[in-house]
Amino acid sequence: METIYLAGGCLWGVQHFIKSLPGVVATEAGRANGTTNTLEGDYDGYAECVKTVFDSQQLSVKQLLNYFFEIIDPYSVDKQGIDVGRKYRTGIYSTNERHLEIAKNFIDERDDRSLIKVEVLPLTNYVRSADEHQDRLARYPNDYCHIHEDILNKYRK
């Protein structure tokens, strides 16, 4: 099992989508790369993200990134859908240097690479979100989500 952290705007939809992918074993809604060890105020620089545990025998990092890029606007800075602010930035974070190299190569291989604004950085810290944010769209399917419903349902297990 391997773990990577994906920030794609509001974490509710991102978690709902990623959880449905083949090879994903577990997900957790959280915040990455902030400046404190708690979630105070406007989350002190944290990006809303999904901790993604996956079976690398079933799902490669590159395949996971292909799925991830289906649900984000990789050209946007601090904005996904109607959500605006630093906490809604897109990012790929990991403590595994190989994951970061794969992500950088994934972006470099794209024709639109010069336009992409997705952070690719080592994970410096992570804080789990409150229980109310965990699997929220599964519990409240009509709640707000910036990801189109067709895409959310595309890989449903």
Side-chain angles (χ1 to χ4, degrees), residues 1 5 13 22 29-30 33 36 40-41 44 54 81 83 104 115-116 125 139 142 146 149 156:
M1 297 303 133
Y5 301 77
N33 285 12
T36 66
E40 300 291 328
D44 298 312
F54 63 101
D83 295 315
K104 289 173 187 173
L115 303 173
I116 293 176
N125 59 354
R139 291 180 288 116
N142 295 324
H146 68 284
E149 190 169 338
R156 190 171 300 262

Side-chain angles (χ1 to χ4, degrees), residues 12-18 20-21 70-71 137 141 143-157:
W12 301 339
V14 176
Q15 182 182 29
H16 193 74
F17 176 78
I18 290 174
S20 72
L21 298 176
E70 283 190 59
I71 61 169
L137 279 186
D143 222 341
Y144 165 75
C145 180
H146 68 284
I147 304 168
H148 193 275
E149 190 169 338
D150 290 345
I151 294 174
L152 280 176
N153 294 325
K154 190 172 181 179
Y155 304 100
R156 190 171 300 262
K157 290 180 183 171

Side-chain angles (χ1 to χ4, degrees), residues 77 107 128:
V77 176
I107 292 169
R128 182 185 186 276

